[in-house]
Amino acid sequence: LRVHLDASTFTLLISTHSRFELLSEQLSYYSASPMISTIVVTWHNMNIKAPPDARVNGTYIRFESPTTDSLNNRFQPLAYITTEAVFILDDIKLHLQDMHNMFAAWKENKQNLVGASPRWVDGGSSEPGSGGRASAPHNLAYLTQSELRSLILSIVAAEFNCEDIGMNFVVNAARSSANPPGADAAPLFVRPLHRIGDFGKMGDTGLHQKKSHTTARTDCLNQMNRAFWQATGQTGLLHAGRLGFLSERGAMCR
């Protein structure tokens, strides 16, 4: 059964655990956009029951309560998503103008990830830099549940903090197999016009503040690059020069 997906608006998916004040601000701010038809909140706090579904500024707010506290939950297929594009966000605040610009760019490149702040890897060091937001396609969740599942998701599950890197490999594989040789499967960077508020880097308890953060993500990147090469025969994301990949912390996909 082929389901018609709306291409004129997009779904915003927000992951949250305990930053409830920020979540309230996000819901109030993003629900005012006419381009966001539904906001799905993935509720990761296992000790507090998620609020009931509601409407804010006429926008439907839906709370998804997974059975585990895992960053991978943002990629679970949700049958009630009815838009072609899904924008993935967590503890950041992105200006609506920048989000709308990314949506416009994505509509011209529907098979690519589109984001507003890339993470860079130097060709020699393979160390992910700072920043990172992205946009992905609606069917990305189904790709992560099927193609490269045993390779990419096993690494994501073991390392905990690499789901955004895995997302880039999965999309790259899907794009590369569908396109003629030489076609660009890389994610697209849309430079933001406004400053991005990253609440994940505030305080001393966030994931980004841990000393092992960069080391763990570098290991993930190297593992996934090898796994990707073994599965597809391609060199994956690592190649000469600088590599840019997009984080799920602000991502649009199809």
Side-chain angles (χ1 to χ4, degrees):
L1 179 63
R2 185 176 180 83
V3 178
H4 174 73
L5 297 175
D6 178 22
S8 62
T9 64
F10 60 91
T11 299
L12 175 61
L13 194 153
I14 300 175
S15 295
T16 191
H17 185 275
S18 56
R19 291 189 174 98
F20 304 127
E21 184 176 345
L22 172 61
L23 175 63
S24 178
E25 293 177 4
Q26 288 175 316
L27 295 180
S28 177
Y29 180 65
Y30 293 119
S31 62
S33 170
M35 295 186 185
I36 300 176
S37 56
T38 303
I39 299 177
V40 178
V41 179
T42 305
W43 190 267
H44 291 278
N45 195 318
M46 299 291 103
N47 298 317
I48 301 177
K49 184 178 179 180
D53 295 349
R55 285 189 180 274
V56 178
N57 294 326
T59 300
Y60 189 33
I61 312 297
R62 190 154 189 162
F63 289 87
E64 181 71 20
S65 298
T67 57
T68 59
D69 178 15
S70 171
L71 293 171
N72 304 335
N73 289 329
R74 72 188 78 220
F75 296 135
Q76 293 295 329
L78 299 176
Y80 52 77
I81 292 180
T82 59
T83 58
E84 282 195 23
V86 178
F87 195 98
I88 306 173
L89 197 67
D90 55 12
D91 48 10
I92 70 167
K93 199 163 185 181
L94 188 67
H95 197 283
L96 274 176
Q97 183 180 12
D98 292 322
M99 195 175 286
H100 293 169
N101 287 344
M102 276 187 282
F103 185 44
W106 177 83
K107 286 193 288 187
E108 298 297 323
N109 303 272
K110 289 188 175 182
Q111 297 302 319
N112 289 72
L113 289 171
V114 178
S117 179
R119 297 183 186 273
W120 295 106
V121 176
D122 291 328
S125 66
S126 299
E127 294 184 358
S130 61
R133 321 284 170 251
S135 291
H138 173 273
N139 61 0
L140 176 60
Y142 298 90
L143 287 172
T144 58
Q145 296 299 310
S146 53
E147 299 178 28
L148 294 180
R149 177 189 176 98
S150 61
L151 293 171
I152 299 299
L153 289 187
S154 63
I155 299 172
V156 169
E159 301 295 341
F160 181 71
N161 185 30
C162 303
E163 78 289 347
D164 56 333
I165 303 175
M167 175 178 69
N168 282 262
F169 276 98
V170 169
V171 173
N172 186 288
R175 289 278 285 135
S176 297
S177 62
N179 286 355
D184 188 8
L188 301 179
F189 168 40
V190 178
R191 189 178 299 277
L193 300 176
H194 305 271
R195 182 178 179 180
I196 297 174
D198 193 341
F199 295 86
K201 294 182 179 180
M202 298 176 64
D204 55 5
T205 60
L207 195 59
H208 291 272
Q209 309 306 320
K210 295 182 179 180
K211 293 182 179 179
S212 60
H213 179 71
T214 299
T215 300
R217 289 175 65 77
T218 298
D219 290 343
C220 283
L221 187 61
N222 291 331
Q223 288 184 61
M224 289 181 183
N225 201 62
R226 288 192 295 268
F228 185 88
W229 179 81
Q230 292 171 4
T232 66
Q234 301 176 49
T235 56
L237 296 176
L238 290 181
H239 49 75
R242 297 187 80 203
L243 156 74
F245 69 89
L246 294 168
S247 164
E248 88 297 339
R249 304 185 66 221
M252 187 163 292
C253 43
R254 178 171 182 272

